[in-house]
Amino acid sequence: MLRKRIRTAGFTLIELAVGLAVVSILLVMGMPTLMSVLDSARIRSAASGFNAGVQFARAQAISRNVAVDFVPVQLGGALTPGWTVSVRGGAVIESRPVQEGSAQTVQVGNNGSGVESITFNGLGAAVFRDSAGAAVTGVNPVVFSFSLPAVACAANGGQVRCLDVRVSTAGQNRLCDPVAVAGDTRAC
């Protein structure tokens, strides 16, 4: 008597194990690239929010025709991506928390300039101020650098794109990439 062999659809256990092994190897190989993309996105989000805050402060100063302060939030004496915009010596207009745009802490540096806040006048020009509120001179533009702790930037041989927010005394601000080559629209 001949037996009919019935073929059932599906995968054998060996085929399933080989498929899982291949997928696992591909994921392990792609993780470093994925992490650097996510780290770059965190920095971009924080720097874009900070840049938007500077633009907002300048726009408020011009539209109200009064001096308006842009003050980055400080934690433990260090600048952060959070900020507050207020009428000089008066009411808060708007603020953003430190964690907005990035769950991981993004570091903000002012490149040793001593600038810790910016005051825009009614014409949109900027005055840079130190922690005591005194005007800081000899700095134009002021550069706020965004990076992640313990992660190397592309400028230092890493894979993460760190960004700068630059503000001139004329009130112009720009979000830029310090390692982009000349002619690139992202260049500083």
Side-chain angles (χ1 to χ4, degrees), residues 79-111:
L79 298 176
T80 67
W83 48 266
T84 300
V85 172
S86 60
V87 173
R88 182 117 182 106
V92 171
I93 300 170
E94 191 168 339
S95 64
R96 293 287 183 254
V98 174
Q99 296 83 8
E100 184 172 294
S102 178
Q104 185 178 5
T105 304
V106 175
Q107 294 176 331
V108 181
N110 60 8
N111 296 340

Side-chain angles (χ1 to χ4, degrees), residues 109-180:
N110 60 8
N111 296 340
S113 65
V115 174
E116 296 193 11
S117 67
I118 304 169
T119 301
F120 292 97
N121 67 19
L123 298 174
V127 175
F128 307 129
R129 301 195 179 277
D130 62 14
S131 59
V136 176
T137 58
V139 179
N140 190 26
V142 66
V143 179
F144 295 98
S145 301
F146 289 76
S147 61
L148 289 174
V151 175
C153 295
N156 299 327
Q159 294 182 352
V160 176
R161 286 264 188 209
C162 296
L163 298 173
D164 288 350
V165 172
R166 296 177 180 229
V167 183
S168 72
T169 53
Q172 299 166 328
N173 63 317
R174 178 165 167 67
L175 175 64
C176 59
D177 185 348
V179 296

